[in-house]
Amino acid sequence: MSRVYLGLGTNVGDRLKYLNDAIKHIEQFENTEIVKISNVYETRPWGYTNQNDFLNLCVSIETNLKPQELLQKCLEVEINLKRERIIRWGPRTIDIDILVYDDIICNGEKLTLPHPRIQERAFVLIPLIDLKEDLTIKGRLLKDWLSELDAEEVKEYIGNE
Ligand code: GSY
């Protein structure tokens, strides 16, 4: 089995429901088990800033799906949950990124591993630390990458939609 870390984000409609529905779909992937789910965080938008705040979390899974198979499955969940790609970095019902897949390093047309922007995004680093504090990205601990970012815009989410 491979250990994989996924990042999930949503900023449209019933955000918590989209996260929960996505997790239910991931649980159904063949030969795949969810190991741990991080806390949920409410986060200011990164990239295209004129949009609603996101809810973000990360999930660790054990899977026998190969990276491309897993990518395809994640895209199917996004389609199932009505994600539309209109604006780059724009609003979305659900986004599922493969962040880390074992210790694979690759730079493919459709998939780059580890995800190339993990270290730039507090909304990814903080939930990843919930899952595995000692994970390293490009030779550095997550908390060391995080120390260079503004984590103010990432708040643990407790409220209701
Ligand atoms: O890359 C994931 C989609 N996304 C997000 C996100 O999930 N959270 C926040 N805070 N900003 C984002 N910008 C993009 S694009």
Side-chain angles (χ1 to χ4, degrees), residues 9 43-47 51 54 56 89-90 92 95 97 121 123:
T43 67
R44 298 288 306 141
W46 182 98
Q51 56 178 323
F54 279 76
N56 284 103
W89 291 332
R92 68 241 4 238
D95 186 88
D97 287 327
R121 295 173 166 183
F123 70 80

Side-chain angles (χ1 to χ4, degrees), residues 134-153:
D134 60 354
L135 190 68
T136 56
I137 298 292
K138 299 181 185 163
R140 285 183 88 192
L141 284 167
L142 301 171
K143 72 169 167 46
D144 293 336
W145 286 116
L146 186 61
S147 68
E148 293 174 4
L149 302 179
D150 177 9
E152 281 295 300
E153 308 208 321

